[in-house]
Amino acid sequence: MEKRSIILKKEENQILNEKHKGIKNVGFFNDLEKLKKGVPVDYIIGWVDFLNCKIDLSLKPLIPRVETEFWVEKVIMEILELSKDNKLKVLDIFSGSGCIGVSILKNCPNTKVDFAEVNSKFIKQIKKNLSINKILYPSSLKDRGRANIIQSNIFDNIKDKYDIILANPPYVSTNRRGNVQRSVLEYEPSEAVFGGKDGLFFIRDFLAKAKDYLLSKGNIEPFIYLEFDSFQKSKIENMLAEYNYSSWQFFKDQFNRWRFAKIFK
C-alpha cells in the first residue's frame, strides 16, 4: 500500500508539472480524480517522451513501454551505423501510436519508414505523431515522402520489401489476464495487448510470412526485430526453425527478462 502511495504521489507531480505547469488549477484537481479512478497517468498527461520524440496519446493507442524504448534505442544505433552508406527501408508493423517508426525517422535521417496498422483510429494517431515531430508536415521538402502509412492486417496490404522490419505485436496471453494491471484492462485497447490464449496468435502469423517481405541480401543483411513476452522464448525459437529462418539471437530487456529477438532471413 505504501509503495502504491509513493507511485500515486509521483504521478500527481507528473500531472502537475508536465500538464499544468506547476499550477494547481481546476483542471489539475479534475485530473487527480481521473488518476484515483485508475486512468493511466500517460493518458491524463496526453503524451509520452519516446527517444527524443513527443508521442501524442489523445486517441488512446497502447501506451509505449520502457521495454520497447530499450530495444528501439539499440535499433537506432544500429541503423545509424548501417545507413552511413545506405538509404534503408524500414517497416514498423503493428504500429499503434507510431512511436517506433517515428523515432526511427526522427533519429535516423537516411531512412524511409512504412507504418502498417489495422485500426483506422490509430492511423490518425500516427499521422498526428508524424506532424507533431515534423516528419511529414509542416516539414522541409526533403522530409516529404519519408513516411508512408498503410492500413493493413499484418501483411495483407503490404506490397513492398524492406531492409528492416520492426514488430511489437499484441502478445499478452489471455490465460495470464489475471496478471495484467487493472488500468491496462480498463483503459488500454485490448486488441493491442492480447494475442490469444498463448499470446502467440499474431506472432505466429507474422513469422510465417515476414521473411517474404525482407529484401535480398545486398550491402546489408536484412533483419527483423520482434518484441515478445519472456515465457514465449522457446516457442518462438521453435517457430523460427519451423519457418526456416537462417539465424536469430534473443536478448533481455533492462529488467533482465527475455524481451526481443533479432532475426535474419
Side-chain angles (χ1 to χ4, degrees):
M1 195 68 180
E2 184 180 348
K3 184 179 179 181
R4 179 58 187 154
S5 297
I6 292 170
I7 292 171
L8 277 172
K9 190 65 181 174
K10 181 182 177 183
E11 290 177 341
E12 284 181 22
N13 287 332
Q14 273 185 270
I15 293 167
L16 178 63
N17 295 318
E18 293 181 28
K19 185 174 181 181
H20 297 283
K21 299 180 180 179
I23 301 169
K24 293 185 177 181
N25 51 26
V26 173
F28 169 70
F29 290 107
N30 287 339
D31 283 342
L32 288 192
E33 290 304 311
K34 294 177 187 176
L35 188 65
K36 289 173 185 176
K37 290 176 182 177
V39 179
V41 65
D42 294 318
Y43 283 161
I44 295 171
I45 292 170
W47 63 277
V48 294
D49 180 79
F50 189 93
L51 296 171
N52 196 35
C53 300
K54 183 175 182 177
I55 301 300
D56 178 86
L57 302 173
S58 58
L59 298 179
K60 305 297 186 292
L62 185 74
I63 298 169
R65 268 45 177 187
V66 293
E67 295 92 334
T68 304
E69 190 174 35
F70 178 81
W71 68 261
V72 175
E73 183 173 20
K74 294 183 180 302
V75 173
I76 286 171
M77 298 306 293
E78 192 168 355
I79 288 176
L80 284 172
E81 185 62 33
L82 291 172
S83 62
K84 285 179 179 176
D85 302 310
N86 305 280
K87 192 171 182 68
L88 300 181
K89 292 172 60 178
V90 180
L91 175 65
D92 171 12
I93 194 166
F94 309 101
S95 294
S97 67
C99 63
I100 294 175
V102 169
S103 67
I104 299 299
L105 288 165
K106 187 84 175 277
N107 291 287
C108 305
N110 208 18
T111 55
K112 181 182 183 300
V113 175
D114 284 356
F115 296 80
E117 170 57 48
V118 68
N119 189 315
S120 57
K121 183 172 72 168
F122 299 152
I123 285 175
K124 292 178 184 176
Q125 185 72 84
I126 295 165
K127 289 178 180 178
K128 190 167 188 176
N129 280 319
L130 286 166
S131 179
I132 287 170
N133 289 280
K134 303 187 187 323
I135 304 299
L136 278 185
Y137 52 86
S139 165
S140 61
L141 287 173
K142 68 179 181 180
D143 279 340
R144 293 184 185 274
R146 288 186 61 212
N148 182 40
I149 302 169
I150 305 163
Q151 186 163 14
S152 181
N153 182 17
I154 313 184
F155 289 108
D156 283 357
N157 295 323
I158 305 298
K159 309 298 182 189
D160 220 335
K161 294 191 177 187
Y162 301 89
D163 296 294
I164 301 167
I165 299 176
L166 305 175
N168 182 17
Y171 58 70
V172 177
S173 163
T174 53
N175 290 333
R176 295 164 67 89
R177 191 180 182 92
N179 299 327
V180 177
Q181 290 179 323
R182 184 171 66 87
S183 62
V184 175
L185 293 174
E186 292 185 2
Y187 295 99
E188 295 197 62
S190 61
E191 70 270 23
V193 175
F194 294 104
K197 288 185 177 180
D198 60 1
L200 293 167
F201 179 83
F202 295 101
I203 290 176
R204 192 175 289 110
D205 197 355
F206 169 76
L207 287 177
K209 301 168 183 173
K211 66 188 306 182
D212 295 332
Y213 293 87
L214 287 173
L215 287 163
S216 299
K217 187 174 180 179
N219 292 334
I220 72 161
E221 185 174 4
F223 57 85
I224 297 163
Y225 268 90
L226 171 69
E227 182 172 327
F228 57 88
D229 207 345
S230 55
F231 77 94
Q232 297 166 337
K233 176 178 177 287
S234 60
K235 289 186 177 180
I236 290 172
E237 194 157 21
N238 291 337
M239 285 182 213
L240 293 171
E242 178 185 350
Y243 297 135
N244 296 312
Y245 285 89
S246 63
S247 62
W248 53 84
Q249 188 173 0
F250 288 91
F251 299 91
K252 291 183 176 181
D253 61 23
Q254 65 268 56
F255 306 112
N256 202 36
R257 300 187 188 99
W258 294 110
R259 183 63 61 192
F260 61 102
K262 184 180 181 182
I263 304 160
F264 292 96
K265 185 176 180 180

